[in-house]
Amino acid sequence: MNKYAAAVLIIVVFTATLSIAFPRLAPVAARAGLIALIIVAAYWIYEYLTTRPPPLASRVLELIKTRGPLSARDIARELGATYEKVEEALQYLTERGLLRRYKKDGEDYYDL
C-alpha cells in the first residue's frame, strides 16, 4: 500500500472514530481531518512533481542497453538532444543505481 493511501486511511478512520465517540466534536474532527487530508495531498503532489524522471531518461537507458558504454556527448549526438538534457537524464539514472559512471581517457562514460 502506498504511504499516502495509508495516511489517508488512517486520517479517515481516526476522524470517523472521533466523531462517533464524541458527537459534539464531530464538526471540529471533520475540519481537522480535512486539513490533514489537504496536507497529505500537498506532500503527494510535491513528491510526484519532484521525483518524475527527466523526459530523456527512458531513451538514454534504452540506448545504453542496446549500444553499450557511451559518453554523454555520444548519447546527445545519437538522440539529437542537448548536452544539458542528456546530463540531467544521466544524473537521474546514476543516482537511482540504473547506470554506473566511469572515466575513460578523461571523459565520463556510462554503462549498466
Side-chain angles (χ1 to χ4, degrees), residues 9-101:
L9 184 63
I10 291 168
I11 291 167
V12 169
V13 168
F14 179 76
T15 303
T17 305
L18 190 62
S19 297
I20 292 169
F22 304 100
R24 296 179 122 200
L25 293 178
V28 174
R31 286 187 186 107
L34 182 60
I35 290 169
L37 290 174
I38 291 170
I39 291 169
V40 168
Y43 276 123
W44 178 79
I45 290 169
Y46 172 77
E47 186 175 293
Y48 175 76
L49 292 176
T50 58
T51 59
R52 288 177 41 190
L56 285 178
S58 62
R59 291 177 56 201
V60 167
L61 191 59
E62 192 61 38
L63 182 65
I64 292 175
K65 280 181 183 177
T66 57
R67 299 264 319 270
L70 293 169
S71 69
R73 283 183 186 34
D74 295 336
I75 295 168
R77 190 176 323 114
E78 188 74 29
L79 296 178
T82 64
Y83 184 78
E84 292 77 22
K85 294 287 185 185
V86 170
E87 278 291 323
E88 180 185 347
L90 289 169
Q91 181 180 359
Y92 176 85
L93 293 168
T94 53
E95 285 174 355
R96 279 149 186 80
L98 299 171
L99 293 180
R100 67 181 178 94
R101 179 176 58 201

